[in-house]
Amino acid sequence: MGAGGRMSDPSEGKNILERVPIDPPFTLSDLKKAIPAHCFERSVIRSSYYVVHDLIVAYVFYFLANTYIPLLPTPWAYLAWPVYWFCQASILTGLWVIGHECGHHAFSDYQLIDDAVGFVLHSALYTPYFSWKYSHRNHHANTNSLDNDEVYIPKRKSKVAIYSKLLNNPPGRVFTLVFRLTLGFPLYLLTNISGKKYGRFANHFDPLSPIFTERERIQVVISDIGILAVLYATKLLAEAKGVAWVTSMYLIPVLGVHMFFVLITYLHHTHLSLPHYDSTEWNWIRGALSTIDRDFGFLNRVFHDVTHTHVLHHLISYIPHYHAKEARDAIKPVLGEFYKIDRTPIFKAMWREAKECIYIEPDEDSEHKGTYWYHKM
């Protein structure tokens, strides 16, 4: 995955790991003015087309796997199942991305429609829609703030745990990456791991969790009901078709969705060129600019371009995905050296970030003592 060429885009500069500047000479208003007006338009018909398209493709994958894989000789079936899991997880990740857009009110002009579509799509993929919508909104409001961001908050050198030092080797990094990709999202939802420290236990299923405000708590309950309904439907399906069938056809692809989601967001927010800020240095536009686009090759399109339009997304999150590339290209001349896309092949990038981005510290000789950068152990 990934194009593999660092220099295929002029915006990448001579060294993709070179740090981005921290004081933009432009405003959010300047960026919005550079974007064609139609890019801000949301169409419920066009957005719905992508939902229907992805559902049809997902059904085709299901039909082919359910009909033909059981007919294959054993050795070929062992090869066919992983192909199905990858393809199905990929297209379902596209549906998850559309649900994510609903949470940003980028699906249509009607909040009720957005929430209804997002609730169904995310619940079916074991994601509590409203709960995640609100914590994700807080992430967008506080991106790369060491004090207030909601997720991917790196540790300072003095806070690096002993186990991180023990895992600072190739087998340890493999274990860390596998753990992050498979259990990272469920543990984040259940325990707020890698999230903001609230001073008491926080998760995405407790309506009284400190993550949420008073007005959001009833919708957290609705999210829980959605997840419970899907769990019950899964139980009924397992009783009718068998646990092995449900696991192979549905649960493993959903796990793949969670893995793709963690991989995408991890790479968007973990890079040697990106700063983090404490309260003395952080402001909204600095934080929003401290993300990076990634190239997932052919999966960019399958994932509705969320992978390589993430900088734009943090600046203006309500632009629908089918206008995102045009809007991104429109603001790139304004962003200049503040825009970065890393086209390093994804597995290579994942390994590099796991090796190099261990803890953050400010530069000793810098006047910006509240600006922190990644370092390796």
Side-chain angles (χ1 to χ4, degrees):
M1 291 183 288
R6 289 189 179 186
M7 294 302 297
S8 58
D9 192 309
S11 64
E12 293 174 27
K14 293 182 179 180
N15 180 5
I16 193 60
L17 301 181
E18 182 179 350
R19 292 174 176 179
V20 297
I22 62 174
D23 289 315
F26 50 80
T27 65
L28 180 61
S29 178
D30 295 329
L31 296 172
K32 288 182 176 180
K33 289 176 183 177
I35 298 174
H38 70 267
C39 289
F40 296 95
E41 296 175 0
R42 299 161 293 197
S43 167
V44 66
I45 295 176
R46 188 170 181 181
S47 296
S48 298
Y49 159 79
Y50 289 100
V51 175
V52 174
H53 171 275
D54 287 0
L55 288 173
I56 290 173
V57 174
Y59 177 78
V60 169
F61 287 152
Y62 155 76
F63 176 80
L64 292 174
N66 189 51
T67 304
Y68 295 107
I69 293 182
L71 303 178
L72 295 174
T74 299
W76 291 106
Y78 287 149
L79 295 174
W81 278 117
V83 172
Y84 165 71
W85 294 333
F86 175 82
C87 293
Q88 191 69 289
S90 298
I91 202 68
L92 293 179
T93 299
L95 283 167
W96 194 99
V97 169
I98 293 175
H100 157 257
E101 283 205 339
C102 290
H104 285 289
H105 197 17
F107 186 85
S108 75
D109 290 329
Y110 309 98
Q111 186 68 63
L112 183 61
I113 292 177
D114 287 25
D115 284 341
V117 173
F119 175 73
V120 171
L121 292 178
H122 272 193
S123 296
L125 297 171
Y126 286 105
T127 302
Y129 171 73
F130 290 106
S131 307
W132 191 84
K133 168 185 171 179
Y134 291 129
S135 69
H136 187 63
R137 179 194 61 188
N138 294 339
H139 162 61
H140 271 256
N142 299 283
T143 309
N144 280 29
S145 164
L146 293 174
D147 302 305
N148 294 305
D149 201 353
E150 281 289 339
V151 71
Y152 288 118
I153 303 172
K155 290 181 171 60
R156 305 180 194 192
K157 187 175 183 179
S158 61
K159 300 294 184 180
V160 174
I162 293 177
Y163 65 80
S164 295
K165 299 176 182 178
L166 295 174
L167 296 173
N168 187 32
N169 51 66
R173 282 190 282 276
V174 170
F175 171 81
T176 300
L177 286 169
V178 171
F179 181 87
R180 176 180 286 126
L181 292 176
T182 56
L183 297 178
F185 191 47
L187 286 177
Y188 171 64
L189 295 176
L190 288 166
T191 70
N192 207 39
I193 189 172
S194 82
K196 180 179 177 181
K197 305 303 179 187
Y198 282 97
R200 68 179 181 90
F201 183 73
N203 72 27
H204 282 70
F205 300 100
D206 177 8
L208 300 179
S209 173
I211 297 173
F212 310 113
T213 65
E214 288 296 328
R215 61 179 295 272
E216 295 165 354
R217 302 197 192 285
I218 185 62
Q219 291 179 303
V220 174
V221 174
I222 295 172
S223 295
D224 293 346
I225 293 172
I227 296 296
L228 289 173
V230 173
L231 285 170
Y232 183 67
T234 304
K235 174 181 176 293
L236 295 179
L237 195 58
E239 290 173 352
K241 304 287 288 186
V243 173
W245 186 91
V246 172
T247 300
S248 298
M249 300 303 303
Y250 176 57
L251 294 181
I252 292 179
V254 170
L255 173 63
V257 173
H258 293 179
M259 293 173 67
F260 273 131
F261 166 70
V262 171
L263 176 60
I264 292 167
T265 54
Y266 171 69
L267 292 179
H268 278 155
H269 293 282
T270 309
H271 200 266
L272 286 170
S273 70
L274 302 179
H276 288 74
Y277 304 96
D278 68 18
S279 57
T280 67
E281 294 276 357
W282 184 88
N283 61 49
W284 182 85
I285 197 164
R286 276 185 173 183
L289 289 168
S290 299
T291 62
I292 191 166
D293 286 354
R294 298 283 188 164
D295 186 358
F296 275 66
F298 72 93
L299 287 176
N300 289 333
R301 183 173 181 180
V302 179
F303 296 160
H304 301 303
D305 300 312
V306 72
T307 46
H308 60 162
T309 61
H310 190 70
V311 176
L312 166 79
H313 176 66
H314 264 273
L315 292 163
I316 310 169
S317 60
Y318 52 87
I319 290 179
H321 68 86
Y322 40 83
H323 294 315
K325 287 194 295 183
E326 182 181 0
R328 175 203 62 192
D329 292 342
I331 65 172
K332 280 168 65 174
V334 182
L335 291 174
E337 60 184 339
F338 285 83
Y339 173 78
K340 275 194 177 247
I341 180 169
D342 191 336
R343 299 188 187 277
T344 303
I346 294 305
F347 290 112
K348 182 179 179 181
M350 180 174 60
W351 184 259
R352 182 190 65 202
E353 269 52 287
K355 180 181 179 182
E356 304 286 338
C357 302
I358 305 299
Y359 67 88
I360 54 166
E361 284 292 305
D363 292 336
E364 292 183 2
D365 58 348
S366 174
E367 62 184 43
H368 297 284
K369 296 301 183 183
T371 302
Y372 291 70
W373 304 92
Y374 271 114
H375 298 270
K376 64 180 179 180
M377 201 82 74

